[in-house]
């Protein structure tokens, strides 16, 4: 096995912070697609998107537990935490960027690319050269600004490799890797997703279990349809919408044979892709509504930061808050942008830094 790229606790903490950025970066696109659906339509697509959004919150929480366990501090209010969309994720692929847009074939294709099972063919391929212009990259391999991981799965494998290396190094030196305050751990009673439980992290075994749950829920186990808890992986939840049919036990990955499901591609609001505040005239109702949403989303991230840094009981409220944003989102989505025929407004997720505890 090649030497790990993560050889210090500080590097491990940076990787885990990047993992939190990665998990969060999918939430605005998933919520935007979810609430772009006309009320009372597309129930199958709505359910799939909602379940996946909830489980991305679980993944964010699992990474926070690992970061806390090694003495790091999760901070979702940092100026660089939210990407500027379209954004490339640190998964190594060069063929797509993630955007905030309505539920459509293009957005579904992007979601499948985010979650797709990919394993590098060999050790040398785990890192790939990647150069993009004009689009924000969330993170790079530490010490190699032009390198990206082949896949999200490989990114998490590198973190696990670093954990194992540092645990061995610390043990040999008579030191501890897992020095974080146990009171910062999110326990199962503080979060319910319906698909997987929070893993409190206290040692190497629980840290690796938390990271593997993230990978398995996203892409499946070794490309299989179901994760270890017999729940459909995100990739295959989205594939159902593409195929127009549910998976059932015994199905092959590319051949669902369950009951049919209907997708109404036109039953969505025609949102402006990657809308920004600059798209709404200053002083207009849309501009005011966009500012109000951004303030509410900043409050949501501040609440999560507090939950992850010593007030875990707040996470119960945080999960509910994510879906309470619906009213503010739809206040924008239901309204056309003046001067842009056929295009509706959308939340912009442009946040000013928020001081925790202020």
């Amino acid at each position: 096995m090649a030497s790990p790229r993560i050889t210090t606790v500080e590097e491990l903490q940076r990787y885990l912070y990047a993992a939190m950025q990665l998990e969060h970066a999918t939430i605005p696109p998933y919520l935007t697609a979810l609430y772009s659906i006309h009320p009372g339509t597309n129930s199958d697509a709505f359910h799939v998107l909602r379940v996946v959004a909830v489980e991305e919150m679980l993944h964010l929480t699992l990474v926070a537990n690992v970061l806390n366990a090694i003495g790091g501090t999760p901070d979702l209010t940092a100026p660089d935490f939210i990407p500027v969309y379209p954004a490339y994720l640190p998964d190594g692929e060069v063929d797509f960027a993630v955007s905030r847009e309505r539920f459509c074939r293009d957005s579904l294709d992007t979601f499948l690319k985010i979650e797709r099972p990919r394993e590098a063919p060999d050790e040398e391929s785990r890192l790939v050269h990647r150069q993009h212009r004009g689009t924000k990259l969330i993170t790079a391999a530490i010490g190699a600004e032009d390198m990206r991981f082949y896949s999200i799965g490989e990114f998490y494998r590198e973190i696990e490799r670093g954990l194992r290396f540092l645990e061995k190094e610390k043990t040999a030196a008579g030191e501890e890797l897992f020095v974080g305050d146990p009171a910062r751990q999110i326990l199962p009673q503080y979060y319910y997703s319906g698909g997987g439980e929070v893993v409190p992290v206290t040692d190497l075994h629980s840290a690796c279990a938390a990271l593997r749950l993230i990978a398995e829920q996203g892409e499946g186990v070794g490309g299989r349809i179901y994760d270890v808890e017999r729940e459909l992986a995100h990739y295959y939840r989205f594939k159902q919408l593409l195929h127009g049919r549910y998976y059932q036990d015994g199905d092959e990955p590319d051949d669902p044979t369950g009951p049919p499901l209907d997708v109404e591609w036109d039953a969505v609001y025609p949102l402006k892709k990657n809308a920004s505040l600059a798209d709404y005239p200053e002083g207009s109702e849309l501009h005011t509504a966009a500012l109000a949403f951004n303030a509410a989303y900043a409050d949501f991230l501040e609440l999560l930061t507090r939950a992850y840094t010593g007030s875990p009981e707040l996470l119960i409220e945080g999960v509910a808050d994510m879906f309470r944003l619906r009213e503010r989102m739809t206040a924008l989505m239901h309204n056309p942008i003046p001067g842009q025929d056929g295009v509706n407004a959308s939340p912009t997720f442009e946040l000013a830094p928020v001081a925790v505890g202020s």
Side-chain angles (χ1 to χ4, degrees), residues 197-211:
E197 285 191 346
V198 169
V199 178
V201 176
T202 58
D203 54 19
L204 180 63
H205 176 77
S206 53
C208 292
L211 298 179

Side-chain angles (χ1 to χ4, degrees), residues 2-15 142-143 158-170 175 177:
S3 299
R5 298 187 61 81
I6 301 172
T7 58
T8 69
V9 173
E10 291 73 22
E11 287 177 343
L12 180 57
Q13 290 176 351
R14 288 198 292 272
Y15 267 77
I142 303 299
E158 191 62 50
I159 294 175
E160 182 175 340
R161 181 182 290 188
L163 280 164
R164 293 185 182 279
F165 173 82
L166 288 169
E167 171 76 354
K168 184 176 180 180
E169 290 286 299
K170 291 287 187 179
E175 301 174 354
L177 175 60

Side-chain angles (χ1 to χ4, degrees), residues 25-263:
T26 66
I27 292 176
Y30 288 160
L31 290 181
T32 299
L34 173 67
Y35 294 131
S36 73
I37 294 173
H38 288 169
T41 70
N42 272 317
S43 60
D44 294 308
F46 189 92
H47 175 73
V48 166
L49 286 163
R50 193 180 193 282
V51 167
V52 171
V54 171
E55 291 185 353
E56 293 300 341
M57 276 281 289
L58 172 62
H59 299 175
L60 185 66
T61 301
L62 290 168
V63 178
N65 272 358
V66 179
L67 181 56
N68 271 322
I70 63 165
T73 300
D75 185 3
L76 288 68
T77 69
D80 67 343
F81 186 75
I82 297 181
V84 175
Y85 297 93
Y88 287 95
L89 305 181
D91 63 348
E93 279 112 351
V94 299
D95 59 319
F96 76 100
V98 179
S99 290
R100 293 177 285 101
E101 59 182 319
R102 73 188 192 281
F103 174 66
C104 60
R105 288 182 175 85
D106 285 345
S107 59
L108 179 58
D109 181 63
T110 297
F111 299 161
L112 284 164
K113 287 173 180 174
I114 291 171
E115 306 286 0
R116 63 188 172 190
R118 294 292 298 273
E119 183 174 356
D122 51 55
E123 182 62 34
E124 289 71 26
S125 302
R126 294 183 64 248
L127 286 171
V128 295
H129 282 280
R130 215 173 107 172
Q131 295 180 347
H132 299 293
R133 296 178 180 177
T135 303
K136 181 176 179 180
L137 293 165
I138 291 181
T139 189
I142 303 299
E145 291 301 319
D146 64 337
M147 302 298 287
R148 299 296 180 274
F149 286 94
Y150 184 88
S151 68
I152 290 175
E154 293 292 359
F155 177 70
Y156 276 110
R157 288 187 187 99
E158 191 62 50
I159 294 175
E160 182 175 340
R161 181 182 290 188
L163 280 164
R164 293 185 182 279
F165 173 82
L166 288 169
E167 171 76 354
K168 184 176 180 180
E169 290 286 299
K170 291 287 187 179
T171 299
E175 301 174 354
E176 296 285 339
L177 175 60
F178 296 92
V179 297
D181 182 357
R184 286 192 172 190
Q185 289 295 307
I186 303 295
L187 303 179
Q189 61 262 36
Y190 297 131
Y191 187 86
Y192 175 74
S193 72
E197 285 191 346
V198 169
V199 178
V201 176
T202 58
D203 54 19
L204 180 63
H205 176 77
S206 53
C208 292
L211 298 179
R212 287 174 182 170
L213 176 56
I214 295 170
E216 289 165 0
Q217 278 196 336
E219 60 189 50
V221 184
R224 295 195 296 274
I225 297 171
Y226 295 95
D227 63 23
V228 292
E229 297 187 351
R230 298 300 300 163
E231 294 283 341
L232 268 181
H234 294 177
Y235 178 76
Y236 295 102
R237 290 185 187 275
F238 288 135
K239 287 276 278 189
Q240 292 178 138
L241 301 178
L242 183 66
H243 288 294
R245 190 169 293 275
Y246 288 103
Y247 283 99
Q248 60 185 1
D249 284 343
D251 282 348
E252 294 297 320
D254 290 319
D255 188 25
T257 63
L261 61 86
D262 294 323
V263 177

